[in-house]
Amino acid sequence: MSATTGLSTVRRVIVFVLLFAFVTLAAAGLSGLFGRLFDGVLEILPGDTGRLAGNDVSGLAQSLAFTLIAGPFAAVLWWSLWRRMAGDERSAPAWGLYIAAMSTVACITSTTALLGAASALVADDRQPHGLATGLVWAAVWVWHRWMSGHRDKGPLRLRSVAPVLGSVFGLLIGAGGAITAIGSVFDLAVTSLLPLLDEGAFWWRQPAVGLVWCAGGASVWWWHLSRERVSTMRGGFADVALVCVGIGAALVTTLVGAGVTLYVLLRLCFDSSEPLGGILDPLGPSLAAALVGALVWRYHGRLATRRSAATRGAATLVTSGLALASAATGVGVVVNSLLSVLTDPLVGSDTRTLLLGGLSALIVGGPLWWAAWRPLTPRVCDRSNQGSADNGRRVYLVLVFGLSAVVALITLLVVGFRLFEFGLGGTADRSVLEDVRAPLGLLVATGLVAGYHFAVWRRDRSLLAAPGERQPGIGRVILITTAGTDPEPLRRAVTESTGAAVTVWSRAGTGAGTDAGTEAGQAAGTEAGQATAVAEALAGVTGKRVLVVTGPGSSIEVIPLGD
């Protein structure tokens, strides 16, 4: 049986890899042909019969080969697979992986090509090949999204991968376009419009290009968020994308933008060693990055508050970690610049610039870390802090302490090397303090970070070891629902009552089921009543993993699983 299953898996992988390659080649060939056709329409000449081929005969031959050879192979292979797409074939991971990969590739290719063509049009340029590529790959994307949503033949696994990746891609290019547009406007406002207008420059083109990409990315993001129901997806890859991109990447953008903005403002006040134009040059893009990043971060932070306790904890830890990195960097740079007082006067331009940069990073990251981590708030070990969220906090503490300790150790070795080198007479032509002030600053910052987080880790461990202070809870709930019912009320009830991460599985059919269940579950006749019954059935249940089976009817069965 295992040999047969393994052979089927290998066969599916090979077939879908071939189908992916054939579809890609056929799309590339059609893009080339349509690009030449659009180019000929734009620049058609009377009596010119050689416009389609032009001078690039080899390029035309390649497009024809891809279209007329790979295209029929792709059609025949797809038709043979589509006719028997049922049962094991439909539930195979290879089918879901193919749909996810091709949908994502088609979405990225079509969006970038269409937005690139639109941006070129704003800049008074025409890119017919980009338009052709965008239209062909948009058709490929529509085709594969139709297959994904097919009621009888759509994949049963990995269905959420393509929508989540599409929403992430749309968010990234939309935010990037917004930063470009807003940053360009700020640059024009900070500098002066009059010289540009006097020279006849098209000052509006750069903001317009940014707006094109912003509108396109926002459209892609909105489509996947609302029409593909990414906003309702819970757990797994959807939560990972939310925390990593919506919170992590957005917060990095915000911190960098705010730090550079504050750095420019501080230089305007305390450092006039450079011309005003050079100081103000990074202000527009950095201010735009801070505004757009903060908007994206705030929006996804509010989304995270409606997710499981593990996701909320991960969002908090990511925010704390990134803010801590900014603050620690600022501390290291400030120490570096202060040590330079013993070697160079503080009024020196390099030293003053270094000090202002460190203060900017510290001022931006320090308050945010304090607000996210709340170091003065007493740590309470109760049921709501158990499971994945508590494990995430322990992993975070060990990770931060470990990385900081490693960096501190490496920095200490560098300091020791410089001191021994100076003692042996190898650096007589320069000051030893000048050589070690940068690693000393890093050593102070990482030493403080490592020491603090090690102390917090020991305190948490002592609280967890104290008898009677911790109530066992549930780490993860595997919820099996009946076919055709909305699992969202049940998932929300489990999350609110236990704080555990929830994985939802839906039956393929009604099944024979079991009549066992709680009295509250037997009395539940509506989805709201069943959600209440599920929460009551989980009261007092403990374990790392718990299986909850609902149905048929109103029956509920709770099964703690072993390790």
Side-chain angles (χ1 to χ4, degrees), residues 318-561:
V318 167
T319 301
S320 175
L322 294 175
L324 176 66
S326 175
T329 301
V331 170
V333 175
V334 168
V335 172
N336 181 6
S337 62
L338 293 179
L339 288 175
S340 66
V341 176
L342 302 178
T343 57
D344 294 322
L346 188 60
V347 294
S349 59
D350 292 339
T351 300
R352 181 177 298 180
T353 301
L354 189 65
L355 176 63
L356 295 179
L359 288 175
S360 301
L362 179 60
I363 294 173
V364 169
L368 181 60
W369 173 80
W370 190 276
W373 185 252
R374 293 179 293 179
L376 299 182
T377 302
R379 171 71 172 160
V380 179
C381 292
D382 56 14
R383 184 176 179 180
S384 62
N385 288 324
Q386 307 308 312
S388 300
D390 203 35
N391 291 333
R393 176 183 170 91
R394 290 196 293 270
V395 171
Y396 169 82
L397 289 172
V398 173
L399 182 63
V400 173
F401 164 71
L403 291 178
S404 302
V406 170
V407 175
L409 180 59
I410 295 175
T411 308
L412 184 60
L413 291 175
V414 173
V415 172
F417 165 73
R418 292 299 186 187
L419 293 177
F420 285 125
E421 186 182 25
F422 178 79
L424 295 174
T427 59
D429 56 337
R430 61 181 186 270
S431 171
V432 62
L433 186 59
E434 184 67 23
D435 287 342
V436 301
R437 63 185 177 94
L440 272 178
L442 184 60
L443 178 62
V444 170
T446 53
L448 291 175
V449 171
Y452 170 77
H453 286 83
F454 178 71
V456 173
W457 175 77
R458 290 192 61 183
R459 185 191 65 187
D460 285 1
R461 190 177 64 169
S462 63
L463 290 176
L464 294 175
E469 295 188 11
R470 173 178 176 134
Q471 298 178 0
I474 300 176
R476 176 173 293 274
V477 172
I478 303 172
L479 178 62
I480 299 179
T481 62
T482 55
T485 60
D486 183 12
E488 184 60 21
L490 297 178
R491 186 206 62 77
R492 190 184 304 112
V494 172
T495 302
E496 293 176 354
S497 61
T498 66
V502 182
T503 301
V504 179
W505 288 83
S506 179
R507 287 193 181 97
T510 57
T514 177
D515 294 332
T518 63
E519 294 181 359
Q522 297 290 347
T526 63
E527 289 185 352
Q530 192 176 35
T532 303
V534 169
E536 293 178 357
L538 288 171
V541 178
T542 61
K544 292 184 177 180
R545 288 177 297 274
V546 175
L547 177 66
V548 178
V549 183
T550 62
S554 59
S555 64
I556 300 171
E557 188 172 2
V558 177
I559 307 173
L561 302 177

Side-chain angles (χ1 to χ4, degrees), residues 18-249:
L18 288 176
L19 181 59
F20 185 94
F22 285 146
V23 171
T24 302
L25 293 175
L30 285 173
S31 300
L33 293 179
F34 279 109
R36 292 172 182 274
L37 179 61
F38 293 162
D39 194 15
V41 171
L42 291 175
E43 301 180 8
I44 189 169
L45 295 176
D48 187 1
T49 59
R51 172 60 57 183
L52 182 62
N55 297 324
D56 188 10
V57 177
S58 61
L60 177 60
Q62 176 179 294
S63 298
L64 289 172
F66 285 173
T67 303
L68 300 179
I69 296 178
F73 273 107
V76 171
L77 183 58
W78 170 80
W79 179 247
S80 64
L81 291 172
W82 186 253
R83 290 180 60 186
R84 57 177 183 170
M85 191 57 65
D88 293 339
E89 294 293 331
R90 185 185 178 192
S91 61
W95 175 228
L97 183 60
Y98 165 77
I99 291 293
M102 183 54 74
S103 298
T104 303
V105 171
C107 177
I108 294 175
T109 306
S110 62
T111 302
T112 53
L114 290 175
L115 293 180
S119 301
L121 190 61
V122 170
D124 198 19
D125 188 14
R126 293 181 176 85
Q127 293 185 359
H129 289 274
L131 177 61
T133 300
L135 293 177
V136 170
W137 280 100
V140 174
W141 178 80
V142 171
W143 173 35
H144 283 78
R145 295 315 299 159
W146 169 78
M147 288 190 291
S148 177
H150 198 279
R151 185 180 62 181
D152 300 324
K153 298 184 179 182
L156 298 178
R157 297 188 181 184
L158 304 177
R159 296 184 66 171
S160 64
V161 173
V164 171
L165 290 178
S167 65
V168 168
F169 171 71
L171 177 64
L172 291 177
I173 63 173
I179 292 173
T180 301
I182 299 174
S184 301
V185 173
F186 283 159
D187 278 340
L188 293 172
V190 168
T191 56
S192 176
L193 286 175
L194 293 178
L196 295 175
L197 296 177
D198 291 339
E199 295 175 4
F202 295 96
W203 58 269
W204 51 269
R205 282 182 174 171
Q206 186 68 17
V209 169
L211 286 177
V212 168
W213 283 91
C214 177
S219 301
V220 173
W221 172 75
W222 174 84
W223 173 273
H224 288 89
L225 203 70
S226 60
R227 301 301 297 271
E228 299 283 353
R229 300 182 179 274
V230 172
S231 59
T232 62
M233 295 179 182
R234 298 291 188 272
F237 189 62
D239 285 354
V240 171
L242 171 68
V243 173
C244 293
V245 180
I247 294 177

